């Protein structure tokens, strides 16, 4: 299954996330792709991700016949504040240069000459968008225009910030990636803006941010009916409400189970039931 952005780039409907995998990153990325994932999310941010080890996995996969063009690679630009003191660029350079240097370093890590998606890890401003955010976004737009990346996006963004970006950017984001809390109606406000603009909404930490929902008896009942586990129900629910979920599993069994979520069907009543659990 694929989703399509407003600029008509097809995007796989489920993504494998590589945060916090440390030295197991290469092995797990290989396993995920060999099991059926075609989209991989990472970031050029050493405190949480090992982008170079994602690249190592891609090289091994290529040797086994998995071609670059069959994969969807997404990585991120992280500002100095989020880099834990080890930025992959000159921190004293201007922001546009930092974005370009980080991007080039990602291409090197991932052994590729293009990216499918490049995401701003988070706006620099807590509220609204400041001058620095616009400078970073212009650099992202420039990368998009260069043809080295097929889509650009933003993560950890509020509805207010996304509204501003959509209104004022020369190139609107094609993807938004947010932590998705059931208690915020599964980030409904942001998802609605995405839907209105043809932006793909990627939800992360669907399991870890919603433990009480996953343990809820109604989820267990639905899981029993469809013959699956609660995690699979949550991933399928996310897909049915138009979201592209990420999974961060480190287990071979869960990689298989998570992929099977694509084959499930929840009734509209069940989808509504899940939407109402955390309200
Ligand atoms: N943009 C950002 O700021 C940002 C921040 C955080 C994350 N992300 C991205 O989102 C990805 C996913 O994040 P996440 O790791 O928080 O997501 P997650 O999938 O909600 O959480 C992973 C946890 O769920 C468990 N799990 C997965 N499938 C399961 C299953 N079928 N049954 C039972 N447990 C299951 C995993 O355990 P096992 O390992 O035992 O399977 C692991 O403990 C990250 O890797 C990263 O790429 C982005």
């Amino acid at each position: 299954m694929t989703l399509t952005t407003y600029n008509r780039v097809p995007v796989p409907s489920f993504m494998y996330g590589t945060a916090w995998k440390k030295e197991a990153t290469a092995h797990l990325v290989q396993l995920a792709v060999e099991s059926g994932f075609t989209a991989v999310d990472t970031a050029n941010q050493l405190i949480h991700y090992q982008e170079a080890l994602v690249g190592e996995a891609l090289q091994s996969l290529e040797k086994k016949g998995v071609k670059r063009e069959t994969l969807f690679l997404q990585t991120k630009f992280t500002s100095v504040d989020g880099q834990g003191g080890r930025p992959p660029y000159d921190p004293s350079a201007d922001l546009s240069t930092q974005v370009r240097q980080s991007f080039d370093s990602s291409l090197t890590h991932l052994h590729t000459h293009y990216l499918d998606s490049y995401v701003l890890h988070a706006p620099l401003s807590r509220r609204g968008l400041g001058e620095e955010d616009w400078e970073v976004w212009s650099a992202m737009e420039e990368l998009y225009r260069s043809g080295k990346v097929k889509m650009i996006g933003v993560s950890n963004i509020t509805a207010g910030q996304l509204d501003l970006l959509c209104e004022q950017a020369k190139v609107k984001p094609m993807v938004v990636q947010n932590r998705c809390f059931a208690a915020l109606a599964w980030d409904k406000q942001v998802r609605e803006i995405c839907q209105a603009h043809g932006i793909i909404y990627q939800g992360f930490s669907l399991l870890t941010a919603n433990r009480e929902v996953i343990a809820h008896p109604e989820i267990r009942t639905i899981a029993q009916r469809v013959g699956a586990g609660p995690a699979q129900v949550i991933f399928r629910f996310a897909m049915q409400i138009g979201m592209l979920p990420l999974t961060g599993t480190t287990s071979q069994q869960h990689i298989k189970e998570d992929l099977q979520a694509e084959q499930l069907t929840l009734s509209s009543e069940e989808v509504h039931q899940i939407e109402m659990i955390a309200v």
Side-chain angles (χ1 to χ4, degrees):
M1 249 173 57
T2 52
L3 303 164
T4 313
T5 54
Y6 74 82
N7 68 332
R8 302 188 186 285
V9 175
V11 183
S13 53
F14 205 178
M15 193 171 272
Y16 185 68
T18 63
W20 311 303
K21 311 283 184 287
K22 299 186 178 164
E23 56 285 353
T25 301
H27 166 69
L28 287 167
V29 170
Q30 268 201 71
L31 198 60
V33 171
E34 285 172 344
S35 305
F37 276 98
T38 55
V40 177
D41 174 75
T42 184
N44 205 347
Q45 182 202 31
L46 269 177
I47 50 168
H48 297 307
Y49 296 81
Q50 295 290 330
E51 195 183 50
L53 294 185
V54 174
E56 210 174 282
L58 299 174
Q59 279 190 314
S60 305
L61 286 162
E62 183 129 34
K63 281 188 195 136
K64 291 182 177 174
V66 180
K67 294 209 177 351
R68 162 69 184 93
E69 315 79 76
T70 62
L71 298 176
F72 183 96
L73 298 184
Q74 173 171 282
T75 189
K76 311 183 192 86
F77 167 76
T78 312
S79 64
V80 172
D81 288 355
Q83 289 286 359
R86 291 182 291 168
Y89 47 76
D90 174 4
S92 64
D94 59 68
L95 286 165
S96 314
T97 307
Q98 290 180 15
V99 173
R100 275 197 307 276
Q101 287 181 350
S102 192
F103 184 86
D104 288 343
S105 145
S106 289
L107 293 185
T108 305
H109 286 158
L110 297 169
H111 309 285
T112 182
H113 63 278
Y114 74 96
L115 288 173
D116 296 279
S117 173
Y118 198 50
V119 172
L120 167 57
H121 214 145
L124 283 90
S125 312
R126 274 181 167 253
R127 284 184 183 198
L129 294 174
E131 225 173 275
E132 290 188 322
D133 294 306
W134 288 112
E135 189 179 340
V136 168
W137 191 254
S138 301
M140 307 264 305
E141 291 176 330
E142 206 44 59
L143 287 172
Y144 175 67
R145 282 191 209 97
S146 76
K148 288 182 183 168
V149 58
K150 294 184 182 177
M151 51 193 272
I152 52 175
V154 61
S155 182
N156 299 299
I157 191 161
T158 65
Q161 289 173 321
L162 185 57
D163 266 335
L164 276 174
L165 194 58
C166 289
E167 277 163 24
Q168 294 175 27
K170 293 195 180 75
V171 181
K172 283 187 304 188
M174 290 103 192
V175 60
V176 161
Q177 185 185 94
N178 267 4
R179 180 167 278 118
C180 191
F181 292 101
L184 296 177
W186 304 91
D187 213 7
K188 192 167 185 191
Q189 250 189 309
V190 172
R191 284 191 293 116
E192 281 179 352
I193 300 169
C194 289
Q195 202 180 5
H197 290 274
I199 297 168
I200 290 180
Y201 178 95
Q202 300 178 356
F204 67 79
S205 300
L206 282 160
L207 305 180
T208 47
N210 302 299
R211 292 186 198 278
E212 282 154 33
V213 173
I214 288 151
H216 198 279
E218 287 189 54
I219 297 287
R220 296 200 176 274
T221 307
I222 295 169
Q224 266 173 5
R225 187 197 69 77
V226 296
Q232 291 165 305
V233 169
I234 296 298
F235 287 132
R236 184 60 203 168
F237 161 76
M239 291 169 195
Q240 285 191 218
I241 62 169
M243 203 186 290
L244 187 168
L246 285 105
T247 174
T249 182
T250 57
S251 128
Q252 182 163 18
Q253 180 60 27
H254 292 163
I255 285 177
K256 276 197 197 134
E257 286 175 13
D258 294 353
L259 279 165
Q260 283 162 3
E262 294 201 83
Q263 317 306 325
L264 304 175
T265 306
L266 306 181
S267 69
S268 46
E269 290 78 21
E270 287 167 336
V271 169
H272 183 64
Q273 232 180 318
I274 298 172
E275 281 175 322
M276 297 313 288
I277 289 176
V279 175

